[in-house]
Amino acid sequence: MKATLIPSLPALLFAGLLLGGCSTLDQAGTPADSTPQKPETASQPEPTVYGQFRQDTLFDLLTAEIAGQRNRFDIALDNYLKQARSTRDPGVTERAVRVAEFLSNEQAANEMTQLWVEIAPQDPEALRSAAIHLARAGRHEQAMDMMQRALDLHGETHFDFLALAAAQTDPQTRNALLTSLRQMQERHPDNAQLVFARALLLQQADRPEDALQLLEEQPRGNEVPPIILLHSRLLAEQDPDRAEALLYDSLERFPDEVRLRLMLARLLVSKGNFRDARVQYMKLAADNPDDADLQLSLGLIELELEQAQDAVIHLQHTLQLAPGNNTARYHLGNAYLAAGRTDDALLTWQSIDSGNELLTSRVQIARLLLEQNRIKALQAQFQQDRDQHPQHGMTLFQIEIEALMPDHPELAMAQVNAALQAYPQDSGLLYSRAMLHEQLGNLRGLQEDLGSIIEQEPNNAMALNALGYTLADHNIELDRALSLITRAAELAPDDPAIKDSLGWVHYRLGNLELAETLLREAYDAFPDQEVAAHLGEVLWRQGKERQARRIWREALKLDPQSPLIPETRERLEAE
């Protein structure tokens, strides 16, 4: 059996396993000892025993090895199982365990590990293997007992594996395991795996504070990398600075521990410290030059640091290592754009023809072509994409329509009408057309499209709110507007846009105090320019001009280019 297929097994045929059984044979296949043999009884012939095993056993084991060499692992496993049960030999049984593990045959592996422990109850490896397979079978208490026996024999243990395997157990089982681990730790206070396993189980039991306290109690010098990783992960949720300090300190002791350095790099990214994160990723990439993920991470960090040329280099390297990585390809387009290489950016995005990045790249293509005023190229691109990717036809229409809508509403209207020919009465397209009708001053068209949506989907809060707000904003059909927006608020009570509409319709109805309350709630949840303009107007109408100006000043700091607030202020001051 090839060592690359079952690495834990020797390549030589049963070298050491048969304990020299085959060496007692001469070339003729007869015993080397020339002592005359007793005549065999014809009625009940006794099987000839070669060394430790009988002839039929050797034949089955030899067949198993040959079958393994020929990739017939099913035959190999069947023979090993048969002879393990028959001979109860620890070597053959271990071999059966390894083949079953290689084939992911958990039932056979569990049976064989139990047999192995029965045959060799003092073998720590047998106990450890049995514990792992019992845990996989959900028999956690028995698994813990096996691991305890292995620990008492000073064998290698995997309490961390048992803790991970117990992740989905019920609270009662998990608490029993925690009690057992605590008792074992009292007898073996220096066993790092026991500490790690307890902390893992506490974390899985949604007790992160207890897990962190346990790890904090451990002497710093005794921590091993898996414990440090868990410790820093738990610490990062409460005190990222301390987690960072722990990882830096640990890397002084374990400078070659990739997992610690990667954890530190990711923590630095999460804190927005891209410069220090780049240092860590550069070290990781230097030690692992063929790791595409590290190159991608470096490229993204360089983009954050506005180092476009360096980002291009790392993202190009990523694609050399992983040509099918569309995430890298998408961000390479962003890097080209940041470097001023717009043609390269466009070609790179256009080369993406699958995955999630297909649609996000089309958003970028639309934006770039619009900036270049290449409207015909944009339309040709999206028509080609719809032809090549009909499963994304609807979304591609929507991307094109939304891109054209701000500055080219007539073209956007033509496209939404074409889309509705392909996807009749689609509520998303009808909503887009309603907004275009509003932009083009066609109030009747807006009302018809939003009414169609509400007729199809009576609980569409967005359409109810849009129609109600439009009526209120035009100061018409206010009772209907109030009814529509109230229904929308019942469906989505926490939506600040709907609360803004409700405040605005009450303002139109003359309910100024209620309008102020609702608009303040909307503004606190979503300090948008339109909400600020509405709230300021309501305050102004109540004679609270100073408060109105303060709200407007605050909102303009967030968006100085917004025309809504200056227009509202000028209109009110002119009255």
Side-chain angles (χ1 to χ4, degrees):
M1 196 171 290
K2 297 178 182 177
T4 55
L5 296 175
I6 305 180
S8 63
L9 306 182
L12 296 177
L13 179 62
F14 299 111
L17 178 62
L18 303 187
L19 302 179
C22 294
S23 66
T24 61
L25 300 179
D26 62 14
Q27 291 183 354
T30 57
D33 184 355
S34 59
T35 305
Q37 303 297 310
K38 294 182 179 179
E40 295 181 354
T41 304
S43 58
Q44 289 185 337
E46 289 290 327
T48 304
V49 177
Y50 293 84
Q52 189 181 11
F53 299 124
R54 301 186 319 177
Q55 184 178 18
D56 59 340
T57 297
L58 283 173
F59 179 80
D60 278 351
L61 296 176
L62 180 59
T63 301
E65 288 295 305
I66 295 172
Q69 292 174 0
R70 295 178 180 178
N71 295 332
R72 288 302 308 273
F73 302 113
D74 54 335
I75 295 175
L77 180 59
D78 286 344
N79 282 18
Y80 278 123
L81 292 175
K82 174 185 174 183
Q83 291 306 324
R85 295 170 186 136
S86 173
T87 65
R88 296 177 62 82
D89 181 86
V92 173
T93 306
E94 180 181 2
R95 186 79 160 183
V97 169
R98 302 308 177 210
V99 177
E101 289 175 337
F102 176 73
L103 294 176
S104 300
N105 188 328
E106 197 58 38
Q107 181 178 351
N110 217 319
E111 178 195 349
M112 287 297 102
T113 53
Q114 296 302 305
L115 178 60
W116 190 7
V117 169
E118 186 180 331
I119 297 167
Q122 300 300 306
D123 186 340
E125 179 62 18
L127 293 163
R128 185 191 66 81
S129 296
I132 288 174
H133 290 287
L134 284 167
R136 285 176 178 162
R139 297 159 65 182
H140 301 288
E141 293 183 6
Q142 292 170 277
M144 190 67 74
D145 178 64
M146 291 287 182
M147 205 65 87
Q148 170 68 72
R149 290 166 60 184
L151 181 62
D152 291 341
L153 291 167
H154 306 290
E156 182 184 0
T157 54
H158 283 279
F159 289 104
D160 52 347
F161 179 87
L162 297 192
L164 288 168
Q168 303 303 320
T169 60
D170 59 275
Q172 183 177 358
T173 301
R174 193 157 43 221
N175 289 334
L177 293 175
L178 280 167
T179 299
S180 297
L181 286 168
R182 180 178 52 78
Q183 292 171 347
M184 289 185 210
Q185 192 181 357
E186 290 172 358
R187 297 200 300 272
H188 304 276
D190 297 328
N191 189 298
Q193 280 199 15
L194 288 170
V195 175
F196 185 44
R198 280 185 67 193
L200 272 177
L201 278 175
L202 288 167
Q203 181 193 36
Q204 292 160 6
D206 199 23
R207 295 166 58 186
E209 295 82 3
D210 292 338
L212 183 58
Q213 181 180 349
L214 173 64
L215 295 174
E216 295 272 89
E217 292 170 354
Q218 305 308 308
R220 289 287 81 86
N222 292 344
E223 283 190 325
V224 293
I227 292 180
I228 297 168
L229 283 171
L230 180 59
H231 190 178
S232 60
R233 199 157 43 237
L234 291 167
L235 199 55
E237 297 176 4
Q238 299 184 13
D239 191 339
D241 290 339
R242 282 189 61 208
E244 180 182 338
L246 171 62
L247 288 165
Y248 271 118
D249 177 68
S250 300
L251 282 167
E252 291 291 324
R253 292 187 289 132
F254 304 102
D256 298 326
E257 185 55 57
V258 172
R259 295 171 298 174
L260 293 179
R261 195 171 300 280
L262 188 59
M263 178 69 183
L264 174 60
R266 289 172 175 168
L267 177 63
L268 292 168
V269 168
S270 71
K271 294 176 65 178
N273 186 350
F274 297 109
R275 293 193 180 280
D276 288 346
R278 177 172 56 179
V279 172
Q280 299 304 321
Y281 274 113
M282 290 292 285
K283 290 179 180 178
L284 288 164
D287 293 336
N288 303 273
D290 296 330
D291 191 315
D293 289 338
L294 293 175
Q295 292 297 327
L296 174 59
S297 297
L298 273 170
L300 296 178
I301 288 173
E302 299 292 6
L303 275 175
E304 290 288 345
L305 293 171
E306 299 182 353
Q307 301 296 317
Q309 296 292 355
D310 290 334
V312 167
I313 292 170
H314 290 299
L315 292 167
Q316 285 177 335
H317 191 185
T318 304
L319 288 172
Q320 291 171 358
L321 296 169
N325 190 326
N326 278 335
T327 299
R329 187 166 282 105
Y330 172 76
H331 289 292
L332 177 59
N334 291 336
Y336 280 138
L337 185 65
R341 298 167 59 177
T342 55
D343 289 343
D344 288 333
L346 187 60
L347 289 171
T348 300
W349 288 325
Q350 287 172 330
S351 69
I352 299 174
D353 60 359
S354 64
N356 296 331
E357 293 79 11
L358 170 65
L359 297 175
T360 53
S361 67
R362 269 42 187 181
V363 173
Q364 295 289 68
I365 289 172
R367 185 177 296 130
L368 179 56
L369 291 175
L370 278 174
E371 289 176 0
Q372 297 174 343
N373 200 29
R374 297 169 61 189
I375 307 302
K376 289 185 178 179
L378 184 153
Q379 292 177 314
Q381 174 73 55
F382 278 86
Q383 184 57 57
Q384 175 182 311
D385 285 334
R386 284 190 290 271
D387 291 340
Q388 293 179 350
H389 309 285
Q391 72 276 21
H392 297 303
M394 168 69 76
T395 307
L396 289 165
F397 263 125
Q398 289 173 329
I399 293 171
E400 182 182 3
I401 292 162
E402 289 177 16
L404 293 169
M405 190 179 291
D407 298 319
H408 305 278
E410 294 86 358
L411 293 176
M413 181 65 78
Q415 285 306 98
V416 79
N417 286 331
L420 281 165
Q421 290 291 321
Y423 306 96
Q425 293 300 107
D426 178 81
S427 60
L429 291 172
L430 286 171
Y431 190 88
S432 294
R433 190 167 70 177
M435 297 303 100
L436 281 166
H437 280 311
E438 181 183 36
Q439 190 175 347
L440 294 168
N442 183 359
L443 182 59
R444 181 177 177 179
L446 177 145
Q447 289 179 281
E448 289 176 353
D449 281 337
L450 291 176
S452 295
I453 296 172
I454 293 168
E455 185 177 348
Q456 294 178 72
E457 304 172 14
N459 293 330
N460 189 315
M462 185 170 67
L464 289 163
N465 179 62
L467 181 54
Y469 174 77
T470 301
L471 296 173
D473 200 43
H474 287 80
N475 208 14
I476 58 175
E477 299 185 56
L478 293 180
D479 289 340
R480 183 186 177 204
L482 178 59
S483 175
L484 289 165
I485 299 170
T486 300
R487 176 60 181 152
E490 291 170 353
L491 293 166
D494 297 324
D495 189 326
I498 295 176
K499 192 161 288 188
D500 170 63
S501 298
L502 195 57
W504 194 238
V505 73
H506 276 293
Y507 164 64
R508 292 299 198 194
L509 289 166
N511 305 321
L512 298 186
E513 291 185 4
L514 178 56
E516 179 186 345
T517 299
L518 291 166
L519 289 168
R520 283 191 183 278
E521 291 176 1
Y523 184 71
D524 289 342
F526 184 56
D528 175 72
Q529 300 296 303
E530 189 169 11
V531 181
H534 290 163
L535 176 57
E537 182 161 346
V538 171
L539 291 169
W540 189 281
R541 294 299 185 192
Q542 295 179 89
K544 303 175 182 178
E545 287 114 349
R546 182 176 296 178
Q547 292 185 42
R549 289 193 176 97
R550 179 175 56 80
I551 291 292
W552 289 336
R553 283 196 301 271
E554 290 176 359
L556 280 172
K557 289 178 182 178
L558 300 175
D559 185 5
Q561 304 303 317
S562 172
L564 290 173
I565 290 174
E567 289 172 0
T568 300
R569 184 176 57 206
E570 291 171 10
R571 174 171 53 80
L572 292 171
E573 289 176 345
E575 292 180 356

